[in-house]
């Protein structure tokens, strides 16, 4: 192995921790001294170079492996430098970014999709492409399991909310606009109709592939006791997609009414992708998102009725 100035500096210093060794190797990978496909020196060579025990070297290599920087890790030979993980590119608007991810997610035998959202609009539209591929016979998963968390109809939503009723939910009867979330609040009723209609279409479209293709399909909904500030999608436990709901003031025609409201257009939210295989950081984010979703599903949420 060629001795660089860096190696000489390392050998001339005191004993190093596994973290310091991992940082030195990361830097060699970053600057191209170690390239994808190159083998690392043996554990014995690294232990001699850094003046440490082999156990310390193994801890450093384990950290690099968790970061996705090593491949072919085995006891029989030194690992190789991994090729860069595939990148999905820049964040995309939800209506664009989710559809392509869902298409890829349907390539596995057991499809699992979890979603947290204000309504099911983006998910409903995003599923149209993979469902079309099923009907065309181009993909055929064995099972599809979809869980969706949306706000309860019985809470006062943070948004959408009428501009006139914002901050006046406790006003006396007859003193102003209907309290937010009440049956007389047209903004709340418009959201509720959208939530129910889109979820019903989502459930119908998924159940159709069970009837026509014999695929095991399960579609479940539960109600959140709060307004989610973000929309979140978990795909097969391998990718988490997150986008922020950004409230803005806008007008919307609804029947004979012009509704002035604070609302968030989830279809325009930028989705940020976290892939389990990308490295330790993203893998931890996906794992924690799964734990968060499961905890909500099993504890503080309630049955959701689409009516």
């Amino acid at each position: 192995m060629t001795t660089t100035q860096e190696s000489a500096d390392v050998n001339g210093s005191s004993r190093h921790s596994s973290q310091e060794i991992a940082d030195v190797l990361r830097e060699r990978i970053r600057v191209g001294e170690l390239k994808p496909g190159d083998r690392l020196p043996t554990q014995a060579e690294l232990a001699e170079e850094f003046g440490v025990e082999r156990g310390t070297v193994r801890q450093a290599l384990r950290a690099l492996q968790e970061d996705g920087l090593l491949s072919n890790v085995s006891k029989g030979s030194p690992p190789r430098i991994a090729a860069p993980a595939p990148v999905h590119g820049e964040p995309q608007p939800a209506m664009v970014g989710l559809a392509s991810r869902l298409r890829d997610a349907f390539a596995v035998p057991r499809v699992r999709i979890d979603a947290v959202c204000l309504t099911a609009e983006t998910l409903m539209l995003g599923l149209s492409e993979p469902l079309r591929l099923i009907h065309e016979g181009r993909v055929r998963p064995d099972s599809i399991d979809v869980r969706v968390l949306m706000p309860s109809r019985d809470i006062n939503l943070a948004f959408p909310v009428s501009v006139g009723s914002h901050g006046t939910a406790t006003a006396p009867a007859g003193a102003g606009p209907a309290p937010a979330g009440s049956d007389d609040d047209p903004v709340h009723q418009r959201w509720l109709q959208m939530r129910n209609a889109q979820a019903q279409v989502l459930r119908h479209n998924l159940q159709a592939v069970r009837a026509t293709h014999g695929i095991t399909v399960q579609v479940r909904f539960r109600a959140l006791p709060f307004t989610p500030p973000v929309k979140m999608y978990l795909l097969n436990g391998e990718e988490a997609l997150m986008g922020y709901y950004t409230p803005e003031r806008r007008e919307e025609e609804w029947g004979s009414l012009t509704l002035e409201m604070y609302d968030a257009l989830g279809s325009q939210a930028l989705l940020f992708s976290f892939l389990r295989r990308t490295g330790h950081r993203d893998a931890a984010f996906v794992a924690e998102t799964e734990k968060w979703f499961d905890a909500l599903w099993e504890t503080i949420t309630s049955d959701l009725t689409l009516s």
Side-chain angles (χ1 to χ4, degrees):
M1 175 179 175
T2 302
T3 301
T4 64
Q5 181 62 43
E6 180 187 58
S7 300
D9 291 342
V10 167
N11 282 323
S13 65
S14 59
R15 295 172 67 87
H16 291 75
S17 69
S18 61
Q19 181 61 53
E20 290 171 331
I21 296 170
D23 288 342
V24 170
L25 295 176
R26 286 191 190 95
E27 179 64 14
R28 293 176 185 175
I29 294 171
R30 187 188 70 81
V31 301
E33 183 178 337
L34 291 171
K35 299 178 175 60
D38 287 351
R39 281 200 183 278
L40 280 179
T42 65
Q43 291 183 14
E45 290 170 335
L46 289 172
E48 180 181 359
E49 176 186 352
F50 290 97
V52 297
E53 302 293 332
R54 290 194 188 186
T56 305
V57 170
R58 283 194 290 270
Q59 292 176 11
L61 298 183
R62 190 176 303 117
L64 296 180
Q65 182 182 2
E66 290 175 349
D67 288 345
L69 296 176
L70 301 181
S71 62
N72 298 334
V73 179
S74 67
K75 295 181 179 179
S77 59
R80 294 184 183 276
I81 305 303
V87 177
H88 277 285
E90 295 297 317
Q92 294 178 301
M95 199 68 79
V96 177
L98 183 61
S100 61
R101 306 309 206 287
L102 288 171
R103 183 181 62 244
D104 295 341
F106 271 66
V108 304
R110 293 177 177 82
V111 178
R112 292 186 296 116
I113 300 169
D114 294 330
V116 179
C117 42
L118 273 175
T119 72
E121 179 184 21
T122 304
L123 181 59
M124 175 193 73
L125 295 174
L127 281 170
S128 61
E129 173 68 7
L131 294 181
R132 180 182 65 82
L133 295 177
I134 290 176
H135 289 300
E136 291 179 355
R138 296 167 61 183
V139 297
R140 191 192 183 284
D142 297 329
S143 63
I144 304 170
D145 186 6
V146 177
R147 298 186 297 175
V148 182
L149 291 173
M150 295 185 292
S152 167
R153 63 176 296 159
D154 299 323
I155 66 172
N156 290 335
L157 292 170
F159 52 86
V161 64
S162 170
V163 171
S165 66
H166 181 62
T168 64
T170 58
S182 73
D183 290 341
D184 297 325
D185 177 10
V187 171
H188 188 84
Q189 290 305 308
R190 172 183 173 273
W191 163 80
L192 184 60
Q193 288 186 13
M194 291 173 57
R195 186 203 73 170
N196 292 343
Q198 292 161 2
Q200 288 167 350
V201 171
L202 171 68
R203 182 172 59 186
H204 170 79
N205 290 346
L206 285 165
Q207 290 177 341
V209 301
R210 177 174 62 189
T212 57
H213 297 276
I215 297 172
T216 301
V217 173
Q218 190 172 31
V219 188
R220 294 171 286 171
F221 302 92
R222 287 189 68 78
L224 290 166
F226 60 87
T227 307
V230 298
K231 63 191 318 178
M232 181 75 70
Y233 304 96
L234 277 164
L235 309 182
N236 296 331
E238 293 297 325
E239 183 175 17
L241 296 160
M242 186 191 77
Y244 292 100
Y245 283 118
T246 304
E248 60 182 34
R249 185 167 178 160
R250 68 189 190 92
E251 291 185 353
E252 190 73 37
E253 300 297 324
W254 189 62
S256 60
L257 301 176
T258 299
L259 305 179
E260 190 173 2
M261 68 185 89
Y262 296 110
D263 195 9
L265 297 178
S267 61
Q268 297 179 8
L270 288 180
L271 287 183
F272 294 84
S273 170
F274 300 84
L275 281 165
R276 186 183 292 275
R277 67 179 181 272
T278 298
H280 179 70
R281 177 180 174 277
D282 278 24
F285 185 90
V286 174
E288 287 299 306
T289 303
E290 286 185 297
K291 288 169 57 178
W292 173 72
F293 186 94
D294 289 340
L296 291 176
W297 188 269
E298 296 165 4
T299 58
I300 62 174
T301 54
S302 56
D303 292 338
L304 188 149
T305 303
L306 297 176
S307 62

